[in-house]
Amino acid sequence: MQEELRAFTEWVGAGRKLTQTGKLTLSDARALVALLETGDEIDPKIGDRVFRTKSSTELPGLNLIVEWAKAAGLVRVVKGRLLPVKKAAPLLKDSERLWETSFTALGKMSEALFPKNYWYTSLVGEEFALIWPALLRRLYGGPVPVADLRELAWEIASPYYEMRDPQSQRRMTGQDIDRLLVVLVRLGAVELTEETATLTPEAVNAVRRSLGEAAPGEPIYQIRVTLQESADPVIWRRLLVSPGITIDRLHDILVAAMGWEGRHLHLFTVGGVLYGEPSPEWDLDVVDEKKTSLAEVLAQVGAAIEYEYDLGDSWRHDIVLEEILAAEEGVRYPVLVDGVGACPPEDVGGIGGYAYFRLVLADPEHDEHDEYVRWAGLESAQEFDPARFAVEAARRALASAG
């Protein structure tokens, strides 16, 4: 793909005139299909009929390259002309930078990757701003079943829409993910088998940088997360995380490591300052957590911040920086080191409600015993062990979320 982008940019030269709708002329499109070997068919013949190509947008292979060059900042449209971006000229001579720029640009290419037409709107295309980073985070954890990537996209996109035929939409969502993987293979970002997708080393490095993860030898934080007021046992988790991550990503990591479902609002508190997702509905002065790195709020060994999950039940956690280590070669962070204690059920009523829940479950003669067993989705009260922490299950959840 780098060669196609380079060849296209060189073809643009000093500039090319576009149509009134801002597209390539058909004569230029014909020349580029041959030059770039896009695989598009102009004026395709089906049976005895010839279907005349009326716009370059009907040529998906060519359109992808054009839009990719725009997204990568190699060319731009000015007053009806396609022009090269002068400051991007060094990229064309630097294969590594051109590759990473091309890879990063994919996140801005939903319309080119999933073009709309009169009969089908791609859910992946519509929610690409959410799906793309989630896919990268999932792939960053190591080889992933392709079926899991399809399911992840469906889980993200489907709640936003009412659908007459969910099964068809689910199938088409999976097909869109398959097409995206083919593009990633073409770029050299993914290695694909019949069942799994794996980031190439170049893509691992690019994703690591985009996520703020530490490279080998760079600092790594060892943090201990303790649920305030928990007892018998005290509920805690020990994690290795990169100081360069944003604290909104830390929230995702904490949810997975603790075992929360992530359905509720949250806040971080540092020296009386609140960090979270700013909203006009907040009656609070909240600093944007997406623009704040962990290193900015937790810098010295022994320092602590507070994390509150579910502002109704108010599950408050102390996060303490225990040690600053060095990132190891071949290790992908975050890492869940250890922990103690089961995560309380969601919506149980905070620490007080959780204590009552445990009391009721421990007493088969209690009037509410059977009701609480059903509410918690348990077969029996013995199924819930407050001292049990399923560390391997938590690590799998962390690999998906972090």
Side-chain angles (χ1 to χ4, degrees), residues 15-90:
R16 299 279 179 166
K17 184 178 180 180
L18 301 173
T19 66
Q20 290 183 342
T21 57
K23 308 301 179 185
L24 294 173
T25 65
L26 279 179
S27 60
D28 281 346
R30 290 176 188 275
L32 282 169
V33 164
L35 174 67
L36 304 177
E37 298 180 351
T38 65
D40 295 308
E41 185 179 0
I42 297 177
D43 299 336
K45 185 177 181 180
I46 302 177
D48 295 330
R49 293 187 61 188
V50 174
F51 293 83
R52 297 293 180 187
T53 301
K54 298 179 181 178
S55 169
S56 63
T57 58
E58 298 172 29
L59 307 169
L62 175 59
N63 193 56
L64 179 64
I65 293 172
V66 173
E67 295 305 316
W68 210 330
K70 291 179 184 177
L74 300 174
V75 299
R76 60 177 178 168
V77 176
V78 178
K79 296 181 179 180
R81 289 180 62 81
L82 189 64
L83 299 174
V85 176
K86 292 182 179 179
K87 67 179 181 180

Side-chain angles (χ1 to χ4, degrees), residues 148-331:
D148 287 5
L149 298 176
R150 297 176 188 137
E151 184 64 20
L152 176 61
W154 175 254
E155 289 176 356
I156 292 172
S158 59
Y160 294 99
Y161 302 91
E162 293 184 5
M163 290 168 275
R164 294 181 180 178
D165 188 353
Q167 287 187 336
S168 293
Q169 286 285 359
R170 190 179 194 133
R171 184 177 63 254
M172 288 187 286
T173 295
Q175 291 171 348
D176 283 342
I177 293 300
D178 292 345
R179 281 193 287 271
L180 176 61
L181 288 172
V182 169
V183 172
L184 288 168
V185 169
R186 184 178 173 188
L187 180 61
V190 161
E191 294 175 353
L192 197 61
T193 68
E194 289 186 4
E195 296 184 352
T196 63
T198 307
L199 290 179
T200 61
E202 295 85 358
V204 168
N205 290 335
V207 174
R208 186 193 70 228
R209 285 189 284 272
S210 73
L211 295 176
E213 294 292 354
E218 293 181 346
I220 279 290
Y221 280 4
Q222 178 178 297
I223 60 173
R224 178 178 166 122
V225 184
T226 306
L227 184 62
Q228 292 180 13
E229 300 181 66
S230 61
D232 193 26
V234 173
I235 300 169
W236 61 268
R237 307 288 186 260
R238 178 169 286 119
L239 293 150
L240 301 179
V241 297
S242 301
I245 63 172
T246 56
I247 57 174
D248 77 307
R249 185 158 182 255
L250 178 63
H251 157 69
D252 293 334
I253 292 169
L254 295 174
V255 164
M258 289 297 300
W260 300 119
E261 296 176 15
R263 295 185 288 107
H264 297 286
L265 295 172
H266 67 277
L267 284 172
F268 291 91
T269 304
V270 185
V273 178
L274 299 177
Y275 295 82
E277 185 175 354
S279 168
E281 298 180 7
W282 285 111
D283 188 22
L284 298 167
D285 186 12
V286 177
V287 179
D288 191 346
E289 63 184 5
K290 293 182 179 179
K291 298 179 180 179
T292 307
S293 72
L294 179 57
E296 291 178 70
V297 296
L298 199 64
Q300 297 179 340
V301 172
I305 61 177
E306 184 181 85
Y307 167 69
E308 182 179 1
Y309 172 71
D310 185 351
L311 307 190
D313 278 8
S314 189
W315 301 103
R316 296 177 182 271
H317 308 68
D318 291 321
I319 303 171
V320 178
L321 176 53
E322 294 185 314
E323 194 172 355
I324 299 177
L325 307 171
E328 297 181 20
E329 185 75 44
V331 177

